[in-house]
Amino acid sequence: MNLTLKIWRQAGPQAKGSMETYQVTDISEDMSFLEMLDVLNEDLTERGEEPVAFDSDCREGICGMCGLMISGHAHGPEVTTTCQLHMRSFRDGETITIEPWRADAFPVIKDLVVDRSSFDRIIQAGGFISANTGAAPEAHSVPVPKPLADRAFESAACIGCGACVAACPNASGMLFMGAKITHLGSLPQGQPERWARVQNMVATHDAEGFGGCTNIGECSAACPKEIPLDVISTLNSDLRKSRSQRH
Amino acid sequence: MTDLIQGLYSEGEKIADTKAPAGPIDKKWTQRKFDAKLVNPANRRKLDVIVVGTGLAGGAGAATLGEAGYNVKAFCYQDSPRRAHSIAAQGGINAAKNYKGDGDSIHRLFYDTVKGGDYRSRETNVYRLAEVSADIIDQCVAQGVPFAREYGGLLDNRSFGGVQVSRTFYARGQTGQQLLIGAYQALERQIAAGTVEMFTRHEMLEVIVVDGKARGIIARDMVTGEIETHLADAVVLASGGYGNVFFLSTNAMGCNVTAAWRAHRKGAYFGNPCYTQIHPTCIPQHGDKQSKLTLMSESLRNDGRIWVPKRAEDCDKDPRQIPEEDRDYYLERIYPSFGNLVPRDIASRQAKNMCDEGRGVGPAVVELQEDGSEREVRRGVYLDFAEAISRMGKDAVSAKYGNLFDMYERITGDNPYETPMRIYPAVHYTMGGLWVDYDLQSSIPGLFVTGEANFSDHGANRLGASALMQGLADGYFVMPNTIRNYLADGPFDKLDESHPAVQEARQSVESRVERFLTMGGTRSADSYHKELGRIMWEYCGMERTEEGLKKAIGMIRDLREDFWTNLRVPGQGRELNQSLEKAGRVADFLELGELMCIDALHRRESCGGHFRAESQTEDGEALRHDDEFAYVAAWEFAGDGDGRMSAPVLHKEDLVYEFIELKQRSYK
């Protein structure tokens, strides 16, 4: 198939960006979206132009490195990561717009590459269980009821790609943060730090410039791992309870 | 040193001592931990350690060293340590917990790993791996890793290829992700505590060696393009494997050999570079613009049955229309006791054999033949869940494998609940890597190597669910206990950036970057990478021959020469420049590829993932020659001039089996 691509080009963090138009031809529907961009980049290199910078690594939907706004949808029209989107989801002759994640907390580095280190700083604020190496008790000493283990697992599936932030009109990171709060807070091992965790993570989230949640649900709809919206309820509930806890 | 052998390499001194303590095998690690010198907590903060790579081995290692109180600087090329490719491991992690009461033990895990590696791994290291395996599970559970559990709240296990016990812990099909996130969170905790300084989007381009000791690295900030010098008392490489030398592999796009290769060029021996693992259950290639291959966990082989049509003329048919009697469940036929659960090397090679016979399925792809001609071959076999669905029900199959089925459908457009999946082997893991002693120290003092980047534990073939085990064993438990013996003699002489060895390392990086940017040729780094990959896959892939390997060495040399005259790298050095990053990686792959072929050529036996067509049993199984080849091949870089590498020097480390009897492997 042949496609018209309108792509955000921006030379550097301070540069002014703009949308540029490119044509790609002879694209197979079995190709992934990023392989289609590889073809464009190989073309640009051959013509002596600069290829389009974009992030990707595992290309199997798990590392969370890739992420593009594709015709206005985070990761494109399917519920998946950009790397797992295939060209069979598009029509021959279609015009596709490709932009980076847009959020104050995710500044653009170049073209489609953004800086998501604010997510790491939210984790640094409390997204862990303090268990030094070697200090762990026998794994079976604390049984975990299966429903809790399953809830923890479901939330732990988050890949930290940032689609939730990109999709949210408020650029809120509450789904990302709620997933971690729910993952660790569901487990017996996560209880000792539960109340401090939520307070510290929320404070960092707000300081990083993410917006608040207004229950629109775009985040969960765009999430390639289908993290449920109710992790935000768990987050809010834990935040409320934490205020009356001593820690 | 000997004269040149086959015009390609010479032989140097043997490696006499791997530094493992004497005594019974089950006491060695305890003894080593006791003998290794201690560093008093107040002195730890005066010691700087650099960790390159933040996957399971590096992330766990950096976090643990940080917890201990050392000053750690950690580097990764991704935008966050949470992205490392350990994350993509699906199936599970082995541990000798014997929670199923099915006769598992440390000794059995040790035995299975040595046997699975086709008796080409070092006994002492493998035993230690089995010994610490149980601690890993405890550690991960304490961190909140959500392993699969039974209704009683206890941990669930499953079985995996090459073994007959259930010792694999898992988190649905996302075990690597959950373990990595556990290590990542431990690491972020140390970053917050100030013991670890994290450098994301940084690529190590050179190791600094002063007075024979590793004292730092030169790295490039991939955002600003700045070349930086980082000095330390010791360096740990946890930079992963080199499967991307084949271009198409299940590795992430950015996985590369540069950190390991630069260390090799500075004196670190490279162990068994030809030992690569071709994983049997990957999604077949769809076309020539493909950028990578996708693996599906081999746990699928627990319930899926692998087959091809008995007759080549049936290969076009809808598989559901082919009756039972016309199907060849070839693994069950050839290996009745292990069936579909034979080790990876065997499952892969038999899939290749079926397709070579003309009984492959799916679209045909054009291939380069040994004689240079092209032919069309179908490269796929069926992995069928129809029997499992009728036995367990669709819901049970979905609960166990749902995410893998979804992944398959997303990539191929076919629904595996209705029609059998098509699979084909793909390059997946490299057992070879930088040579290390029992302490995981390379032949450069102060340079430690952990995880897939070292050669140490898997011999010629790795068993499933053992990579995660090794990465975390090295990172959490082994390296932190051995590196202290080295650091106890520090802090070493204060080093300045003006030291000639530091300047020289920095200069070499800067001039290489400059050369890439000013070459002004016509071809992209990617195009060279693809061409190298085709050569490696054809001649140094699942089956290797003397003739093919010699041919490949010539082709790689020609390609490398062309690369250094005809490469085009657009853009500038002082900016984010992905073409420049690729150029450096491909340059190193072009050198590694030659060494892999030399290693494969010199090892005139078949073992594990290394199959030499000239050395097979009457049944077509790998035939080892223990009298001649029961050694680790540790290669020393011998310098280069004008872009040509001098003939490398082979150092043999004899493999002495004191506790396990060498046998010809059989899974029949």
Side-chain angles (χ1 to χ4, degrees):
Chain A
M1 57 176 94
N2 301 327
L3 302 158
T4 302
L5 307 175
K6 297 194 164 176
I7 303 179
W8 181 260
R9 301 300 305 260
Q10 180 175 335
Q14 312 306 331
K16 192 170 177 300
S18 62
M19 300 297 288
E20 303 291 333
T21 304
Y22 303 92
Q23 308 292 331
V24 286
T25 55
D26 203 19
I27 298 297
S28 133
E29 63 170 25
D30 286 331
M31 275 184 195
S32 70
F33 193 82
L34 296 180
E35 285 167 352
M36 182 274 293
L37 287 182
D38 290 342
V39 170
L40 170 70
N41 276 345
E42 199 59 21
D43 243 34
L44 290 173
T45 306
E46 267 178 37
R47 296 207 307 256
E49 294 176 43
E50 255 204 77
V52 181
F54 64 88
D55 269 331
S56 80
D57 205 25
C58 77
R59 295 208 180 182
E60 47 191 87
I62 195 73
C63 77
M65 185 100 173
C66 67
L68 301 173
M69 281 306 260
I70 299 167
S71 297
H73 297 281
H75 291 307
E78 312 275 342
V79 179
T80 188
T81 55
T82 300
C83 66
Q84 289 295 290
L85 179 64
H86 284 71
M87 296 314 293
R88 64 180 80 90
S89 300
F90 298 89
R91 295 183 320 276
D92 187 26
E94 199 170 331
T95 298
I96 306 172
T97 62
I98 307 171
E99 295 172 86
W101 288 164
R102 305 270 191 202
D104 289 343
F106 292 165
V108 172
I109 295 173
K110 183 178 182 178
D111 295 340
L112 305 171
V113 176
V114 300
D115 177 355
R116 285 169 292 196
S117 54
S118 48
F119 268 10
D120 289 334
R121 289 188 290 274
I122 292 177
I123 298 298
Q124 283 163 28
F128 49 76
I129 290 170
S130 300
N132 278 6
T133 299
E138 214 293 323
H140 269 177
S141 60
V142 185
V144 181
K146 193 165 167 33
L148 289 180
D150 287 349
R151 172 76 170 158
F153 179 84
E154 173 189 60
S155 327
C158 168
I159 57 173
C161 64
C164 47
V165 176
C168 175
N170 309 324
S172 171
M174 296 277 272
L175 192 77
F176 167 78
M177 188 167 46
K180 189 50 60 193
I181 296 284
T182 307
H183 161 206
L184 299 177
S186 300
L187 297 169
Q189 291 84 357
Q191 299 310 309
E193 294 164 293
R194 183 168 172 185
W195 312 116
R197 177 182 304 122
V198 67
Q199 293 206 355
N200 294 336
M201 287 177 77
V202 168
T204 303
H205 169 272
D206 295 352
E208 288 288 344
F210 292 100
C213 173
T214 49
N215 291 318
I216 295 169
E218 288 284 342
C219 53
S220 185
C223 176
K225 297 296 153 186
E226 301 178 70
I227 301 292
L229 193 58
D230 68 0
V231 299
I232 299 181
S233 315
T234 302
L235 163 64
N236 280 326
S237 155
D238 272 20
L239 185 62
R240 179 180 57 76
K241 289 178 200 156
S242 74
R243 297 204 168 113
S244 58
Q245 299 286 329
R246 282 168 188 275
H247 55 264
Chain B
M1 201 158 72
T2 64
D3 290 336
L4 274 193
I5 301 169
Q6 294 196 298
L8 290 169
Y9 68 96
S10 57
E11 208 176 309
E13 300 268 302
K14 278 195 174 186
I15 297 172
D17 184 9
T18 63
K19 314 263 175 66
I25 195 141
D26 57 343
K27 300 286 187 295
K28 283 178 192 287
W29 180 227
T30 307
Q31 190 62 44
R32 182 66 195 130
K33 282 190 287 186
F34 182 76
D35 291 343
K37 283 175 270 187
L38 296 171
V39 181
N40 136 6
N43 286 341
R44 292 179 201 161
R45 70 177 82 96
K46 297 177 197 153
L47 290 159
D48 301 328
V49 183
I50 284 172
V51 180
V52 180
T54 54
L56 289 185
T64 303
L65 293 175
E67 289 163 5
Y70 297 102
N71 257 326
V72 182
K73 283 183 174 180
F75 294 79
C76 70
Y77 72 77
Q78 300 92 341
D79 73 331
S80 163
R82 67 178 297 148
R83 316 262 186 237
H85 201 54
S86 308
I87 206 163
Q90 298 165 358
I93 177 165
N94 289 330
K97 283 282 199 187
N98 195 29
Y99 282 162
K100 291 283 177 189
D102 55 2
D104 200 9
S105 63
I106 290 171
H107 204 87
R108 190 174 298 282
L109 175 53
F110 160 58
Y111 173 80
D112 284 345
T113 306
V114 170
K115 178 187 175 196
D118 214 358
Y119 305 93
R120 287 293 175 265
S121 46
R122 192 191 284 157
E123 270 189 335
T124 52
N125 287 49
V126 179
Y127 192 90
R128 175 178 61 193
L129 175 67
E131 195 177 337
V132 303
S133 66
D135 297 341
I136 297 171
I137 302 305
D138 299 343
Q139 182 63 32
C140 294
V141 166
Q143 290 170 343
V145 169
F147 284 118
R149 287 180 184 267
E150 295 169 338
Y151 281 98
L154 301 180
L155 295 160
D156 193 19
N157 293 121
R158 58 186 174 197
S159 61
F160 241 68
V163 300
Q164 288 168 310
V165 294
S166 287
R167 64 160 72 102
T168 305
F169 295 78
Y170 66 102
R172 219 169 294 173
Q174 287 117 282
T175 317
Q177 179 199 19
Q178 295 310 323
L179 296 175
L180 182 68
I181 296 299
Y184 157 76
Q185 288 171 184
L187 177 61
E188 292 295 332
R189 174 174 162 245
Q190 291 310 305
I191 295 169
T195 60
V196 179
E197 190 180 356
M198 185 69 221
F199 296 82
T200 60
R201 293 195 194 267
H202 272 66
E203 183 161 40
M204 169 187 152
L205 296 177
E206 196 53 271
V207 56
I208 297 168
V209 179
V210 178
D211 301 331
K213 289 185 176 131
R215 291 298 307 272
I217 64 166
I218 306 292
R220 181 171 176 274
D221 178 330
M222 294 154 74
V223 174
T224 63
E226 189 146 345
I227 307 295
E228 302 172 348
T229 302
H230 296 274
L231 302 173
D233 294 289
V235 176
V236 180
L237 293 189
S239 48
Y242 49 86
N244 269 350
V245 68
F246 292 88
F247 186 76
L248 282 181
S249 81
T250 67
N251 284 185
M253 301 304 286
C255 292
N256 67 81
V257 77
T258 290
W261 192 255
R262 300 327 289 179
H264 173 59
R265 291 182 64 106
K266 281 279 175 94
Y269 295 173
F270 211 112
N272 300 329
C274 80
Y275 290 166
T276 47
Q277 179 164 80
I278 317 274
H279 193 289
T281 55
C282 301
I283 299 175
Q285 192 181 343
H286 64 67
D288 62 353
K289 297 284 194 283
Q290 188 142 0
S291 59
K292 74 155 273 153
L293 296 167
T294 304
L295 174 150
M296 293 181 298
S297 167
E298 73 176 322
S299 62
L300 289 168
R301 292 198 274 144
N302 276 322
D303 290 300
R305 297 179 72 197
I306 295 173
W307 63 277
V308 290
K310 280 185 179 162
R311 293 187 303 264
E313 55 270 29
D314 284 349
C315 292
D316 269 338
K317 284 189 186 160
D318 180 338
R320 290 165 293 187
Q321 307 303 321
I322 301 174
E324 275 301 306
E325 61 271 22
D326 291 339
R327 301 176 175 192
D328 179 10
Y329 295 92
Y330 56 90
L331 291 177
E332 297 169 32
R333 169 173 59 84
I334 307 171
Y335 308 99
S337 67
F338 279 74
N340 292 298
L341 289 177
V342 289
R344 293 175 172 177
D345 53 335
I346 292 175
S348 292
R349 207 168 54 253
Q350 290 297 358
K352 177 184 191 298
N353 290 344
M354 297 304 132
C355 296
D356 286 348
E357 282 175 23
R359 295 195 288 144
V361 296
V365 288
V366 177
E367 282 182 5
L368 193 65
Q369 300 295 291
E370 193 92 326
D371 61 6
S373 66
E374 291 185 342
R375 73 161 180 166
E376 289 210 327
V377 193
R378 289 173 204 280
R379 291 288 173 198
V381 300
Y382 290 123
L383 174 61
D384 198 337
F385 276 80
E387 189 262 344
I389 290 171
S390 66
R391 171 167 50 87
M392 304 158 63
K394 191 177 163 186
D395 289 347
V397 169
S398 168
K400 237 172 150 175
Y401 305 111
N403 65 319
L404 298 170
F405 279 32
D406 292 348
M407 180 179 197
Y408 181 85
E409 183 168 7
R410 176 151 308 285
I411 292 171
T412 62
D414 290 338
N415 178 352
Y417 292 103
E418 283 165 14
T419 181
M421 296 191 216
R422 281 182 295 109
I423 56 168
Y424 197 67
V427 175
H428 170 56
Y429 186 88
T430 50
M431 283 73 70
L434 291 180
W435 182 89
V436 288
D437 63 15
Y438 187 70
D439 281 356
L440 304 184
Q441 185 165 223
S442 73
S443 49
I444 301 175
L447 182 75
F448 291 75
V449 190
T450 58
E452 191 180 350
N454 75 28
F455 89 103
S456 107
D457 295 349
H458 307 295
N461 174 57
R462 179 174 65 72
L463 288 180
S466 286
L468 301 181
M469 172 171 67
Q470 188 218 339
L472 290 181
D474 288 1
Y476 284 132
F477 298 107
V478 180
M479 179 276 293
N481 275 304
T482 56
I483 200 172
R484 61 178 154 86
N485 184 61
Y486 180 81
L487 290 171
D489 293 334
F492 300 106
D493 294 345
K494 188 104 180 91
L495 201 57
D496 201 80
E497 291 200 12
S498 60
H499 188 285
V502 180
Q503 284 296 316
E504 183 274 327
R506 198 185 165 101
Q507 270 299 316
S508 76
V509 167
E510 281 173 350
S511 60
R512 195 160 111 122
V513 167
E514 192 55 28
R515 188 163 170 207
F516 286 137
L517 290 166
T518 53
M519 222 174 329
T522 57
R523 282 182 67 179
S524 70
D526 249 10
S527 77
Y528 286 103
H529 194 180
K530 274 187 192 177
E531 193 171 334
L532 172 67
R534 274 197 297 270
I535 297 169
M536 294 302 291
W537 182 240
E538 181 58 36
Y539 300 109
C540 198
M542 264 188 284
E543 187 171 306
R544 297 140 178 203
T545 65
E546 168 134 5
E547 195 193 341
L549 289 162
K550 283 184 174 159
K551 195 166 162 182
I553 291 167
M555 290 167 86
I556 294 167
R557 286 178 176 172
D558 292 346
L559 188 65
R560 199 165 60 224
E561 202 175 311
D562 192 65
F563 174 89
W564 283 107
T565 51
N566 204 17
L567 174 74
R568 168 185 290 173
V569 178
Q572 308 298 318
R574 288 299 177 104
E575 62 172 356
L576 189 148
N577 186 338
Q578 294 172 327
S579 306
L580 178 62
E581 294 159 18
K582 277 183 202 159
R585 295 167 190 170
V586 174
D588 292 332
F589 279 136
L590 281 163
E591 295 184 355
L592 166 74
E594 180 176 326
L595 183 66
M596 287 172 71
C597 291
I598 292 173
D599 185 41
L601 185 66
H602 111 281
R603 192 171 281 278
R604 292 182 320 281
E605 66 162 350
S606 297
C607 53
H610 170 63
F611 191 79
R612 279 287 297 263
E614 300 93 339
S615 181
Q616 48 184 307
T617 64
E618 277 178 20
D619 304 336
E621 301 294 342
L623 181 62
R624 294 196 324 265
H625 299 294
D626 294 334
D627 46 340
E628 263 189 284
F629 291 104
Y631 62 80
V632 174
W635 296 92
E636 181 187 355
F637 186 75
D640 61 354
D642 297 334
R644 284 209 75 149
M645 295 196 293
S646 307
V649 182
L650 171 66
H651 299 274
K652 293 177 179 173
E653 176 203 326
D654 286 331
L655 290 169
V656 183
Y657 284 92
E658 279 184 78
F659 304 96
I660 285 180
E661 184 196 350
L662 272 85
K663 285 187 192 151
Q664 199 69 30
R665 248 179 359 159
S666 171
Y667 290 92
K668 294 213 167 179

